[in-house]
Amino acid sequence: MINKNQLLRRLLVMGCLLLLCAGTAGAQLIRLQMVDGEDYVKRAAVYLTTTSTVSAARGELLDRYGRAMVTNKTAFSLVLVHSAWETEGQYERLLDLAARVRADGGTLCDTLPISTSAPYTYTAAAGDSKMTSLSTYLKDSRNTLGLTALQQAVTDAQTRQQERPRHDANGNVIDEVDALDATQYVSADEFIRVMRGYLERSKGLPAGLNEADARTLIGLYYSMRQIGFGTRVNFTMAEDISIDLIAYIKEHHQQYRGVEVDTEAVRRYDTQLAAHLLGTVGPMYYEEWYENKNGGPYKDKSGYNQNDSIGKSGLESALEDYLHGTAGSRTVDTTLGGKTVSEQTTGYAPEPGDNVITTIDLDLQQVAEQSLAENMAQYRRGAAAVALAVNSGEVLAMASYPTYDLENYYDEDEVNARLNDSRSPEYNRATQGVYPPGSTFKVLTAIAALEEGVINAGTTYKCEGTFEYGGQTFRCNNHPQPMTLDVTQAIKYSCNVFFYNVGKELQGERMEKWCDRFGLGRVTGIEVGESAGHAAGPSYRKLMIEADPALREWQGGDDVNAAIGQSDNGFTPLQMANYVAAVVNGGTLYKPTLVRNIKSYDYGSVVRSEQPEVIGTIEFSDATRRLVMTGMGEVTAEGGTAATVFADYPVKVGGKTGTAEMFESDKNGVVTKYNNGLFVAFAPFDDPQIVVCVVGEGAEHGSSVAPVVRDIFDAYFKAEPDDNVKTVQQENTLVP
């Protein structure tokens, strides 16, 4: 037990300690206020302290073997700091800086999607994030800028919504004003003209500027406004500037008050492949910061500021939360003349984003893209190829032709080239292109008919080239002489008459059911943007009639047309590859994926490890599977529709060719008919590992695209790995 004397001694010690602490604090206050007070007052008068967010380097994107696809490089940028930026003489200063940046070879951060010289045109396609952002700005500013045509269009949209509200697929009312594309009512030339007038009237833009200078300042003003340039948000005016320009700015810092040089990590593209999959990065727009656009609102997410770059498409967008990293903070002391006297990281340092190891094999990707370009260029349309791992859903290669250059994505010449290419290079045909499957669909028709008891292994139909039904004549030109065929022979020779008979008995309701089981006509769940497509049948026709009452209801003729992959059938190449993978693996429908795993920025730990995800299990008999696979094996054998391409091929291949009719109307209403060529194949036949689907627009027949499939198989089954594959030790470090 503690006695009274001990307690008093302890209290005395504690009191002394408290007095000592108070004395120390008091002495420090006296020093700050009385001894050094005058110095601190002078320092406050001549120094400016600014705290800003430091963006983190984005994570890297690698192929399945650890080969770099997108990494980072250090670059210098010019940043305008609002707190030190002087508005007096700002236009002259901006023009001076812009001229020096261009002469230096740097990139001016002008996000206005309008050409830099007259005649002015839009430099992005409708629906692009830049155009969506500009459309929002135009609608918000329609009264300020006096855009009468747009004012009327907005009024009409508001009236339509009140009188005849429309609903989306989920039953939600469509906001007609939000859906309105303002750039359809305001030309690029008109925008430059009215913006120039507004800036001269209200913002002090000097009158009499030449067109080039006026366009430069309009672009910078628009870009500053879009990111909310202000006390809390700096504006990155230029990127990728040289040491020479940095030295000049530093030497003349009093002339450029509020202009800082910053270092940042920018994207470096280590491959020219897979542009549609990797995607683009760009500056954050107003609606992404404040609204639910492209993963926003980012203002509610930690680690972001309004001047950040974010993923805009592809995996860069889909995996933004992993790739972005965690921003840090930095405090900079400058003199009133703009000279930096101290700089330090406060609070926390930026942490780079996580690294993504994709499922892509760069060797296969290169072959797919090169083969599409070599074999499909003659048709002057587009094409797509998808290679899937049969037993996991991993995308080994995915190519869309034509493609584009990520390295120079924002270069004006490249932008114009994409816009002027009628084939829409940015359109990812592999996941967004919706095509009639043609005869590749006959495999599913056969499975449905066998499982529903409409036919069996011994069922035969005689084909003499025509099929009469409902007063219509349907034709088959797929074999040169009359034949009596069973289901395997019908697949081998792609006999339409056999499947017309099957379709008449099977009918649309049951075909819709089997399409849904195999994932046809619905999204697969892959990380990048995709179309759902549509499976032909009474249910989908009913939806079509709701949108267009002039259409007729589903009839018997639709049953027979749908059975050969025509009618209202429309699927993506990815869906077609995935459905055939489920056929040959025995009924397991996997979710296709582009991500193998995600690792921390230093590769020290696994952040997310992907496992094959089953999205459906299709019950059908082994006997049915053997029958359709036998037929697909005969397609590449002697007499089959792809025999010439795979004659004497060292690996046994199964597949199905297809030809699908297409109709295209030009702006004058002139209709052009052409045929797409399709081929879906798997190998090895006895132990399927890989499925490849190729679609060639205007290629006329599946045998025309089969060489692309063969080239991909060649790359997949080659004996020796390419020299540029990293060592096994490094692969095992990157990929568990």
Side-chain angles (χ1 to χ4, degrees):
M1 181 178 289
I2 299 175
N3 59 36
K4 185 182 292 185
N5 290 333
Q6 287 178 316
L7 184 59
L8 287 173
R9 283 196 300 271
R10 290 186 180 182
L11 289 174
L12 182 60
V13 171
M14 289 178 64
C16 291
L17 289 173
L18 288 173
L19 286 172
L20 179 61
C21 291
T24 302
Q28 183 70 5
L29 286 173
I30 291 171
R31 185 183 68 81
L32 290 172
Q33 294 289 335
M34 301 181 68
V35 179
D36 297 328
E38 187 174 350
D39 289 339
Y40 281 104
V41 169
K42 290 179 179 179
R43 182 183 177 89
V46 297
Y47 288 104
L48 181 66
T49 299
T50 303
T51 300
S52 60
T53 301
V54 182
S55 297
R58 292 179 72 80
E60 299 177 341
L61 289 159
L62 304 96
D63 91 331
R64 66 189 298 110
Y65 299 115
R67 291 173 288 192
M69 293 196 290
V70 183
T71 54
N72 298 297
K73 62 182 179 180
T74 300
F76 299 99
S77 58
L78 286 184
V79 177
L80 305 188
V81 180
H82 187 274
S83 57
W85 178 252
E86 291 184 346
T87 57
E88 185 177 351
Q90 64 176 332
Y91 293 117
E92 292 81 0
R93 204 155 53 254
L94 286 171
L95 285 174
D96 174 69
L97 285 168
R100 294 185 185 281
V101 167
R102 286 169 176 151
D104 183 65
T107 303
L108 203 62
C109 296
D110 179 349
T111 59
L112 180 63
I114 293 178
S115 59
T116 56
S117 60
Y120 297 110
T121 58
Y122 289 122
T123 57
D128 181 270
S129 58
K130 282 189 175 183
M131 294 295 280
T132 301
S133 182
L134 179 57
S135 177
T136 300
Y137 175 78
L138 287 169
K139 285 180 284 190
D140 291 344
S141 306
R142 64 187 183 277
N143 295 324
T144 303
L145 299 178
L147 302 170
T148 54
L150 181 57
Q151 289 171 340
Q152 186 60 51
V154 170
T155 299
D156 293 344
Q158 292 169 335
T159 301
R160 282 198 308 273
Q161 183 154 345
Q162 290 176 356
E163 296 178 353
R164 301 182 303 277
R166 295 186 299 150
H167 298 80
D168 61 20
N170 297 319
N172 302 314
V173 176
I174 296 173
D175 187 325
E176 295 288 351
V177 175
D178 185 60
L180 188 70
D181 182 2
T183 61
Q184 298 298 310
Y185 299 89
V186 182
S187 69
D189 191 74
E190 181 184 8
F191 177 82
I192 295 296
R193 178 175 53 79
V194 298
M195 276 297 292
R196 180 170 184 168
Y198 167 72
L199 292 177
E200 288 177 353
R201 291 191 310 272
S202 306
K203 300 296 180 181
L205 184 73
L209 291 173
N210 61 48
E211 280 194 355
D213 286 348
R215 168 61 184 85
T216 294
L217 293 174
I218 290 169
L220 290 174
Y221 171 82
Y222 173 83
S223 304
M224 289 178 181
R225 189 185 184 284
Q226 287 300 97
I227 64 107
F229 180 51
T231 54
R232 299 180 61 185
V233 180
N234 298 331
F235 172 59
T236 301
M237 180 182 173
E239 296 175 334
D240 204 17
I241 62 173
S242 72
I243 295 295
D244 291 339
L245 182 55
I246 293 171
Y248 182 86
I249 296 296
K250 292 291 187 181
E251 289 171 6
H252 299 80
H253 62 271
Q254 291 194 6
Q255 181 182 341
Y256 299 108
R257 290 180 59 184
V259 180
E260 289 188 359
V261 176
D262 199 5
T263 57
E264 59 180 345
V266 298
R267 280 324 219 183
R268 177 174 62 199
Y269 297 96
D270 300 279
T271 179
Q272 295 180 338
L273 303 171
H276 297 89
L277 308 183
L278 299 173
T280 58
V281 173
M284 191 183 305
Y285 298 136
Y286 179 90
E287 63 268 20
E288 292 165 333
W289 179 253
Y290 288 104
E291 301 173 15
N292 185 25
K293 298 288 179 66
N294 193 26
Y298 284 95
K299 68 180 180 64
D300 298 330
K301 296 185 177 183
S302 61
Y304 284 90
N305 66 67
Q306 205 168 344
N307 204 32
D308 274 352
S309 291
I310 57 173
K312 296 288 186 175
S313 63
L315 289 174
E316 292 277 20
S317 175
L319 301 176
E320 170 66 25
D321 290 346
Y322 292 98
L323 292 169
H324 183 264
T326 303
S329 65
R330 179 181 60 192
T331 297
V332 179
D333 288 336
T334 60
T335 66
L336 294 184
K339 184 178 181 180
T340 300
V341 294
S342 69
E343 180 177 328
Q344 60 180 328
T345 300
T346 59
Y348 48 91
E351 182 176 296
D354 299 318
N355 300 308
V356 176
I357 292 85
T358 69
T359 61
I360 297 298
D361 180 336
L362 274 179
D363 290 339
L364 260 63
Q365 185 70 28
Q366 181 174 5
V367 168
E369 293 191 19
Q370 183 175 334
S371 186
L372 280 181
E374 291 175 352
N375 288 284
M376 298 295 108
Q378 60 184 307
Y379 305 111
R380 299 183 180 181
R381 295 182 182 272
V386 177
L388 285 181
V390 168
N391 296 307
S392 68
E394 289 187 349
V395 178
L396 304 176
M398 180 182 285
S400 182
Y401 172 80
T403 185
Y404 57 97
D405 181 9
L406 284 174
E407 182 73 42
N408 299 302
Y409 180 78
Y410 292 106
D411 181 83
E412 186 168 342
D413 290 338
E414 290 291 329
V415 170
N416 289 332
R418 292 197 303 271
L419 287 175
N420 293 327
D421 191 333
S422 61
R423 300 169 301 171
S424 303
E426 289 190 68
Y427 182 51
N428 185 359
R429 289 167 164 81
T431 62
Q432 295 174 306
V434 176
Y435 302 97
S439 294
T440 63
F441 188 74
K442 290 173 180 174
V443 174
L444 185 138
T445 303
I447 291 172
L450 288 163
E451 290 299 299
E452 295 287 345
V454 171
I455 61 171
N456 57 44
T459 301
T460 60
Y461 291 106
K462 185 176 183 179
C463 174
E464 296 181 331
T466 60
F467 177 77
E468 304 290 334
Y469 183 65
Q472 299 182 71
T473 300
F474 300 86
R475 300 189 180 279
C476 175
N477 302 312
N478 295 340
H479 42 89
Q481 57 191 19
M483 299 181 71
T484 299
L485 309 98
D486 62 18
V487 65
T488 58
Q489 294 169 320
I491 292 173
K492 173 179 180 176
Y493 294 108
S494 199
C495 178
N496 284 349
V497 168
F498 182 94
F499 287 100
Y500 288 147
N501 280 283
V502 169
K504 183 183 74 171
E505 300 299 325
L506 187 61
Q507 299 186 342
E509 293 90 344
R510 287 191 285 190
M511 281 192 285
E512 281 184 317
K513 177 180 69 176
W514 282 92
C515 281
D516 184 68
R517 288 176 178 175
F518 278 94
L520 295 173
R522 56 186 171 91
V523 294
T524 66
I526 195 168
E527 293 84 1
V528 296
E530 63 176 327
S531 300
H534 35 79
S539 299
Y540 180 66
R541 181 63 61 82
K542 184 178 179 181
L543 291 175
M544 294 176 67
I545 292 173
E546 289 179 4
D548 183 3
L551 294 175
R552 60 174 174 76
E553 294 185 350
W554 186 265
Q555 298 175 358
D558 294 302
D559 289 330
V560 300
N561 250 334
I564 65 165
Q566 291 287 164
S567 184
D568 301 329
N569 281 317
F571 313 124
T572 66
L574 176 62
Q575 288 175 343
M576 288 185 264
N578 208 34
Y579 118 71
V580 172
V583 171
V584 301
N585 71 22
T588 301
L589 188 68
Y590 289 100
K591 173 186 172 182
T593 182
L594 290 161
V595 180
R596 203 170 190 196
N597 58 50
I598 300 176
K599 292 203 167 188
S600 60
Y601 72 93
D602 59 357
Y603 293 98
S605 61
V606 176
V607 176
R608 179 176 128 189
S609 182
E610 291 294 297
Q611 300 297 324
E613 181 178 343
V614 177
I615 57 176
T617 302
I618 306 110
E619 299 292 338
F620 65 105
S621 69
D622 288 339
T624 292
R625 176 173 174 265
R626 285 194 298 271
L627 280 172
V628 296
M629 285 186 65
T630 298
M632 295 173 79
E634 290 295 307
V635 167
T636 60
E638 183 178 355
T641 54
T644 56
V645 177
F646 286 97
D648 300 322
Y649 196 72
V651 178
K652 174 62 178 173
V653 174
K656 184 71 193 79
T657 56
T659 302
E661 291 183 344
M662 299 292 293
F663 298 91
E664 181 180 68
S665 298
D666 64 17
K667 60 182 180 181
N668 298 318
V670 178
V671 177
T672 302
K673 176 183 175 296
Y674 63 93
N675 294 326
N676 288 342
L678 305 95
F679 190 40
V680 185
F682 64 92
F685 183 83
D686 294 326
D687 181 23
Q689 299 171 17
I690 180 175
V691 167
V692 177
C693 174
V694 177
V695 177
E697 297 173 4
E700 292 300 325
H701 191 272
S703 60
S704 302
V705 301
V708 180
V709 177
R710 183 193 57 210
D711 288 344
I712 294 173
F713 282 158
D714 285 346
Y716 183 81
F717 291 110
K718 67 182 178 180
E720 296 296 330
D722 197 280
D723 290 340
N724 65 359
V725 175
K726 300 202 174 184
T727 64
V728 173
Q729 181 178 0
Q730 186 166 0
E731 288 174 21
N732 290 339
T733 301
L734 296 176
V735 184

